[in-house]
Amino acid sequence: MTWGDGTRAVRAGLPEPKAYEPTLPGPVFAAHYHLPGEPTGPYTYGRDENPTWTHLERAIGELEAPGEPGVETVVFASGMAAISSVLFSQLRAGDVVVLPADGYQALALVRAQLEAYGIEVRTAPTGGDAQLSVLEGARLLWIETPSNPGLDICDIRRLVAAAHAGGARVAVDNTLATPLGQRPLELGADFSVASGTKGLTGHGDILLGHVTCRDASLAASVRRWRKIAGAIPGPMEAWLAHRSLATLQLRVDRQCATALALAEALSAREDVTGLRYPGLPGDPSHKVAAGQMRRFGSVVSFVLPDRERAESFLAGLRLVDDATSFGGVRSTAERRGRWGGDAVPEGFVRFSVGAEDAEDLVADVLRALDEAG
C-alpha cells in the first residue's frame, strides 16, 4: 500500500499484531539469550543484536526508503558512532576521502584520525558543488546537506553521478533534513547517515545514530564495525526512539512551517544579516534544495552585528533554550562561535525551531532582538 508520511511514521517497524500483546513491545534488556545447540537463531549475544534494535531498524528503513524491502538500517549509540562506522569500515591506508570543509565540527577530529591511519583527506565547501573539484581518485565522498551550521546545499544527484563514475561511494549526512525532508538513497547515495539525537527522535533526551544502505554487503561491513567497536545503543534508548518516531511527521511539519515564518520575519530586520533557510525563495540554495528536499528543516541561521549583541539576544529569549543541539520540540539557539571550529562570525546564531506556536515564538524572537539592540 502507498501510505502518507504520517501513517508510515506511526506504523513503521511495528511487529505483526498478536492477541493480548502490546502494539509496541517494551525494551528487551538482555546481555545473552538461551542458546542451545548451534547458534543459528537471530539473537545470540547482546553486542550483536537485540529485538528492540530490530524493530527500530525496520522502522527507520521504512522511512528512509519506503517500499524497498532490501534496505537495511544499523543503529548506533550516537550520531558520531554512525559517522565513524562508515568512514572506518570503508577506508584503508592509501585511500582518498572527500569531506565537506564546512560540515559538522567534529569532522575535524575524524580527519585527524583518518590521516593518522594513512588516509588522504581532501575538503571543499558544500555550496556550489565544490567537492567535485577534489573528487578525482577518491574512494569515498562524504556529503552534508544542508550543512551544519551554515545551511548550504549541494546537488546530491550531481555529486553521486560524478562519484560513481569515478568509482567512489557516497555517504550523505541527513541529520538536518531527517528522512521526511530528504531521502538520500532515492537520490543515489550508497549510505544515508544521521544523528537520531536531533530531529528524528526530537525530544532531546537520548543519543542515537543510524546508517541505512541498499547494499547488503555495505550494511554488513557497517554492522561488523559496530560489533568491533561496541558502539551499540541501549535497549531503552532504542525503544524511546521508536516510540518518538510516531510523532515525526507532526513535529517536522510544525517545525518547518514555523521555521519559514521565523525566517520571513528575520528577513525584514536591518540588524540581521547572513540569513539562511533553504525554504526561503530568496535563499541562495533554494532552487537546488527544492529539487531534492521534501521539507526544508527546522534550523535557521543568521548573523547579528557582534558577539555582545548575539549573547544579549540569546539571554533575552523566554521560549528558547541556549543549547547546542537542534531538532527538538523545544526551540534552542546558540552563538555557534563559542565552540570554535566553525568558520562563522562572532555574531552567528544557529536557531532550531521547536513545536511552540509560531506566533508566540516569532514574537519572542523579535522582542529579544529589539531589546538586544
Side-chain angles (χ1 to χ4, degrees):
M1 295 180 64
T2 301
W3 289 344
D5 288 340
T7 303
R8 186 176 294 108
V10 168
R11 306 295 305 180
L14 297 181
E16 290 296 318
K18 292 184 180 179
Y20 314 114
E21 293 290 326
T23 55
L24 176 61
V28 174
F29 299 98
H32 56 267
Y33 305 85
H34 289 295
L35 201 64
E38 293 298 319
T40 56
Y43 304 108
T44 58
Y45 188 63
R47 189 181 65 247
D48 299 334
E49 294 292 348
N50 178 290
T52 310
W53 304 351
T54 300
H55 294 313
L56 176 60
E57 289 174 341
R58 288 174 180 168
I60 294 174
E62 290 173 25
L63 297 176
E64 288 275 5
E68 296 192 34
V71 167
E72 295 187 35
T73 295
V74 186
V75 292
F76 290 86
S78 70
M80 280 307 301
I83 289 170
S84 299
S85 75
V86 175
L87 293 169
F88 293 109
S89 69
Q90 302 304 306
L91 297 169
R92 304 288 184 272
D95 287 343
V96 174
V97 61
V98 176
L99 302 180
D102 53 347
Y104 179 47
Q105 63 174 228
L107 287 178
L109 301 176
V110 174
R111 174 177 185 166
Q113 193 62 55
L114 290 168
E115 291 175 336
Y117 290 157
I119 297 164
E120 180 184 343
V121 179
R122 301 174 188 164
T123 64
T126 298
D129 300 341
Q131 288 174 295
L132 289 172
S133 66
V134 293
L135 189 56
E136 185 177 355
R139 180 178 177 85
L140 179 68
L141 168 63
W142 188 274
I143 295 171
E144 187 177 299
T145 181
S147 62
N148 175 25
L151 302 184
D152 261 326
I153 304 288
C154 62
D155 186 330
I156 296 176
R157 294 184 186 90
R158 183 185 182 201
L159 268 68
V160 165
H164 285 174
R169 299 196 184 278
V170 181
V172 177
D173 185 330
N174 202 41
T175 302
L176 271 161
T178 81
L180 295 195
Q182 186 170 262
R183 293 182 180 139
L185 299 186
E186 290 185 356
L187 299 171
D190 301 288
F191 303 91
S192 180
V193 188
S195 168
T197 309
K198 310 299 194 299
L200 190 72
T201 60
H203 290 78
D205 52 9
I206 60 173
L207 295 178
L208 198 81
H210 76 269
V211 178
T212 303
C213 317
R214 279 199 181 95
D215 187 318
S217 65
L218 294 180
S221 66
V222 168
R223 190 173 288 107
R224 179 176 180 273
W225 188 93
R226 181 180 67 179
K227 177 176 181 176
I228 293 169
I232 60 172
M236 190 66 191
E237 286 78 6
W239 184 85
L240 285 170
H242 196 172
R243 177 213 60 175
S244 299
L245 290 182
T247 61
L248 179 61
Q249 183 260 343
L250 298 173
R251 291 185 279 108
V252 167
D253 280 355
R254 176 66 168 263
Q255 290 168 307
C256 290
T258 304
L260 179 58
L262 177 61
E264 289 172 341
L266 291 172
S267 68
R269 301 278 308 198
E270 293 184 357
D271 53 350
V272 170
T273 60
L275 175 65
R276 296 301 304 270
Y277 182 64
L280 271 178
D283 186 271
S285 294
H286 178 71
K287 183 177 180 180
V288 176
Q292 64 192 24
M293 298 186 73
R294 301 163 61 242
R295 295 170 175 86
F296 296 108
S298 64
V299 179
V300 178
S301 68
F302 55 93
V303 180
L304 295 179
D306 51 41
R307 172 176 179 166
E308 290 71 25
R309 185 79 65 87
E311 290 180 348
S312 178
F313 161 69
L314 293 169
L317 292 166
R318 297 171 184 166
L319 298 179
V320 183
D321 296 329
D322 193 338
T324 193
S325 195
F326 59 85
V329 291
R330 288 174 291 279
S331 292
T332 61
E334 69 170 339
R335 190 182 67 81
R336 191 63 185 168
R338 65 183 176 175
W339 298 103
D342 291 315
V344 295
E346 285 292 301
F348 180 96
V349 174
R350 185 183 69 183
F351 196 108
S352 172
V353 172
E356 299 89 357
D357 288 319
E359 297 83 358
D360 294 338
L361 186 64
V362 171
D364 188 41
V365 169
L366 297 181
R367 177 199 52 77
L369 284 171
D370 289 338
E371 293 177 358

